[in-house]
Amino acid sequence: MNEFRLLLRKDIFILVNNIKLIFRNPARLLPYLFVIGYIGFFYTKGFESSQNNSSDDIEEVSNILTEIAAEVFSIRGGITVAALIILMFQLFKATKKNISFFSMADVNLLFTSPVAPANILLYYMLRSLIPALGGSAIFFIYITASVNQFLDLNILKILAMALSIGLFIFILSPIKFLLYTLNTKYHIYPLVKKILVIFSILLGVMILIPGLRAEKFWEGMFAWVGSPWFDFFPLVGWSRAMVLFLDNGDILKLAGFTLAYVMLSILLIKLVIIHSGQYYEDVLESTKSKEENKEKVKSQEVSEATYGLNTKKKLEISNFGQGAVALYWRNYVNGSRLDYHPLAGLYTLIFAGIALVLALLSRFDLLTHKFLYGYLVFLVSIYFIAGLGKTNLGDMKKPFFILIPASWSSKFWNLIKLDIYQTLVLGLLTIVPAVLIAELHWGLSLIFPLLLLLYYLTGFAIALVTNVGFEESWDRKLIKPLIISGVFFFGIIPSFLSGIFAFIISKQFVYGLMGMCIGMSLVTAIMLHLIMDIISRVEFKEA
């Protein structure tokens, strides 16, 4: 017991020191105050609205929910399948590398301390439950703040949502650590991979059979996965049943599946403690690798080419010219190493191939156009995230970028030229075959690639502003969420709502995307103007 008290005291000291660091710079409190204000505003507004709701409003909402019951069932099944895929991916990932609960500071301090290895491992596994539950609760409170007047959230419902996701996230770590420890003794990874392959085939069958038996494939594909009996499926089904407490209010199910999670967690932790043995050497290796990857990200040493498919091939690419075009040539070479062709490589063909399959299925009435439309919106969000994740922005602070004899607009254009070409090529390869096969509106061939490009440039601009415009890492960490929130609330969300309004009026998806394009054009123009001003000042900041 004294050993656990010692470990707890160490964490309390770390927490107190972090709080002191925050209060030394009060500006770092702004993101937290913004989140608290946002949640408080919507929850207060939702409470006032719930007091003023009439019976007619409640009846109208009930009628709408009845009309979309079938679609909600399909969404439930789709989310369940997505959770199953995440679970299998995490288990498959566990067969590739070990998991570590520690940092290098923990390793250097704890592994040399007079504390039993089993107690250290047990404490850190239990401690990982706190951020899992706390993060899940904050996440659900944040995303449901604006719709609280419809969900009527209370402490019990928030607790149910936090437990459903938090326990699911928490239990993955003991499972992966147990697989690693068992593999060191019994070499079970080949067996685990075979089981995952078999389970993937069974999951496909569970979707295929009810879909083929239904009148329309898309109406029956989730009949089994979305059914109530699937609530008893370990982990994924348990979490889904706990989330559905928001709808059915079944306290017995919530308590029962929470108890199942607790019992399984105790069993896994007990097995980990039994089979872990002297795990210091293995944990030290994985922890060191994790810390090195973090340092590479912080120092901008990780580039897109780090995950390239063609890194070992010898390239012979002639120079494109002098001046700022050298930046385009540099990106072209990196793009050639990232994929088999810098403009249309394997990743592009995969994305376009998925759209082609969905178009064929909708052509033969196996799926509706809604699935294809949803995939297009998903691609737009993926490219926005890709823009946010741009990693070579630190080059703008280097002397070779500043000393290139060209205008700042020319430098910026050559810096993003290849990205623009890649985005447009992907958009055209995705939408043109889909328009021809699924007989969609021809206007999508022009609007979708443009919308894809606008979202990518907006994400790219946010990443550039935070990485180039601010020197301190703490400032970048705090300012970036504020900029993203501002762009979302005053740019992306209004543009999305204008697209929804255009879609409701016209009943045409193409006009919905057009409305989004109009709004995003203004957002992107503002962000590009801002980054051009920042780029032009880089030389004076670095001098």
Side-chain angles (χ1 to χ4, degrees), residues 193-209:
K193 292 179 181 179
K194 292 179 181 178
I195 293 175
L196 292 176
V197 171
I198 294 173
F199 183 76
S200 301
I201 295 173
L202 291 176
L203 178 60
V205 171
M206 292 176 65
I207 295 175
L208 185 63
I209 292 178

Side-chain angles (χ1 to χ4, degrees), residues 14-255:
I14 294 175
L15 178 62
V16 170
N17 289 336
N18 286 330
I19 293 175
K20 289 180 179 178
L21 287 176
I22 292 176
F23 280 100
R24 285 179 183 176
N25 186 1
R28 294 174 178 173
L29 292 172
L30 292 178
Y32 306 102
L33 295 176
F34 171 79
V35 172
I36 294 173
Y38 171 82
I39 294 173
F41 171 77
F42 278 105
Y43 269 82
T44 304
K45 183 179 179 181
F47 177 77
E48 294 176 353
S49 300
S50 62
Q51 300 294 324
N52 299 328
N53 281 340
S54 63
S55 59
D56 294 336
D57 295 333
I58 297 175
E59 184 178 354
E60 182 180 353
V61 172
S62 300
N63 293 334
I64 294 174
L65 293 176
T66 302
E67 293 177 1
I68 65 173
E71 296 188 10
V72 169
F73 183 80
S74 297
I75 294 172
R76 181 192 304 176
I79 294 175
T80 303
V81 171
L84 288 170
I85 293 173
I86 292 173
L87 176 62
M88 289 188 293
F89 174 76
Q90 290 294 328
L91 294 178
F92 182 79
K93 188 178 177 181
T95 63
K96 297 296 183 181
K97 60 180 180 179
N98 185 22
I99 183 176
S100 175
F101 298 95
F102 308 96
S103 64
M104 285 304 297
D106 295 327
V107 168
N108 296 328
L109 175 65
L110 298 177
F111 287 8
T112 58
S113 65
V115 181
N119 289 338
I120 295 176
L121 185 60
L122 176 61
Y123 175 80
Y124 270 79
M125 281 194 293
L126 294 177
R127 194 188 72 166
S128 65
L129 180 62
I130 297 176
L133 292 178
S136 300
I138 295 173
F139 173 75
F140 275 114
I141 292 173
Y142 182 80
I143 65 172
T144 58
S146 57
V147 293
N148 179 47
Q149 55 181 315
F150 303 108
L151 297 178
D152 191 23
L153 293 180
N154 52 39
I155 296 177
L156 188 58
K157 290 182 177 180
I158 294 173
L159 179 63
M161 291 188 296
L163 287 173
S164 65
I165 304 300
L167 290 175
F168 179 78
I169 296 173
F170 161 75
I171 209 167
L172 289 177
S173 297
I175 290 176
K176 292 190 285 186
F177 197 87
L178 178 62
L179 289 176
Y180 180 80
T181 55
L182 291 177
N183 183 69
T184 57
K185 291 184 177 182
Y186 309 112
H187 306 288
I188 65 169
Y189 277 170
L191 177 62
V192 172
K193 292 179 181 179
K194 292 179 181 178
I195 293 175
L196 292 176
V197 171
I198 294 173
F199 183 76
S200 301
I201 295 173
L202 291 176
L203 178 60
V205 171
M206 292 176 65
I207 295 175
L208 185 63
I209 292 178
L212 295 176
R213 293 178 60 185
E215 183 178 351
K216 291 185 178 181
F217 181 82
W218 64 272
E219 292 179 346
M221 60 189 296
F222 297 129
W224 290 359
V225 178
S227 60
W229 64 264
F230 202 83
D231 291 347
F232 296 94
F233 188 89
L235 304 186
V236 174
W238 300 350
S239 291
R240 189 185 71 178
M242 294 166 70
V243 170
L244 291 178
F245 176 79
L246 295 175
D247 178 50
N248 54 39
D250 193 339
I251 191 68
L252 292 178
K253 268 192 175 183
L254 176 62

Side-chain angles (χ1 to χ4, degrees), residues 499-514:
I500 294 294
F501 180 75
F503 174 75
I504 293 174
I505 297 299
S506 63
K507 303 295 183 182
Q508 295 274 345
F509 182 72
V510 62
Y511 293 117
L513 290 190
M514 184 182 295

Side-chain angles (χ1 to χ4, degrees), residues 323-325 327 406-415 532:
V325 74
L327 296 171
S407 63
W408 294 110
S409 58
S410 177
K411 294 178 185 179
F412 179 71
W413 163 245
N414 282 279
L415 184 69
M532 284 303 301

Side-chain angles (χ1 to χ4, degrees), residues 1 40 51 330 395 475 540:
M1 195 67 182
Q51 300 294 324
R330 187 170 184 266
D395 292 346
D475 292 332
F540 301 102

Side-chain angles (χ1 to χ4, degrees), residues 190-353:
L191 177 62
V192 172
K193 292 179 181 179
K194 292 179 181 178
I195 293 175
L196 292 176
V197 171
I198 294 173
F199 183 76
S200 301
I201 295 173
L202 291 176
L203 178 60
V205 171
M206 292 176 65
I207 295 175
L208 185 63
I209 292 178
L212 295 176
R213 293 178 60 185
E215 183 178 351
K216 291 185 178 181
F217 181 82
W218 64 272
E219 292 179 346
M221 60 189 296
F222 297 129
W224 290 359
V225 178
S227 60
W229 64 264
F230 202 83
D231 291 347
F232 296 94
F233 188 89
L235 304 186
V236 174
W238 300 350
S239 291
R240 189 185 71 178
M242 294 166 70
V243 170
L244 291 178
F245 176 79
L246 295 175
D247 178 50
N248 54 39
D250 193 339
I251 191 68
L252 292 178
K253 268 192 175 183
L254 176 62
F257 288 122
T258 302
L259 180 62
Y261 260 120
V262 172
M263 294 176 65
L264 181 59
S265 300
I266 294 174
L267 176 62
L268 289 172
I269 292 174
K270 184 67 175 178
L271 290 173
V272 167
I273 297 299
I274 293 174
H275 294 282
S276 61
Q278 296 298 327
Y279 59 88
Y280 280 176
E281 184 177 352
D282 298 328
V283 168
L284 179 60
E285 181 182 354
S286 59
T287 303
K288 185 177 180 181
S289 175
K290 183 177 69 174
E291 292 290 328
E292 288 176 352
N293 292 332
K294 286 183 178 179
E295 290 299 323
K296 288 181 180 179
V297 172
K298 289 180 180 179
S299 59
Q300 298 293 335
E301 294 178 9
V302 177
S303 66
E304 288 87 345
T306 304
Y307 309 98
L309 302 174
N310 203 22
T311 54
K312 296 182 180 180
K313 183 179 179 181
K314 184 178 180 180
L315 300 176
E316 295 181 0
I317 301 175
S318 59
N319 293 333
F320 295 161
Q322 298 179 346
V325 74
L327 296 171
Y328 174 60
W329 178 86
R330 187 170 184 266
N331 290 337
Y332 193 90
V333 173
N334 290 335
S336 300
R337 296 192 182 280
L338 176 64
D339 213 332
Y340 295 108
H341 192 277
L343 295 179
L346 180 61
Y347 297 119
T348 300
L349 295 179
I350 290 175
F351 283 132

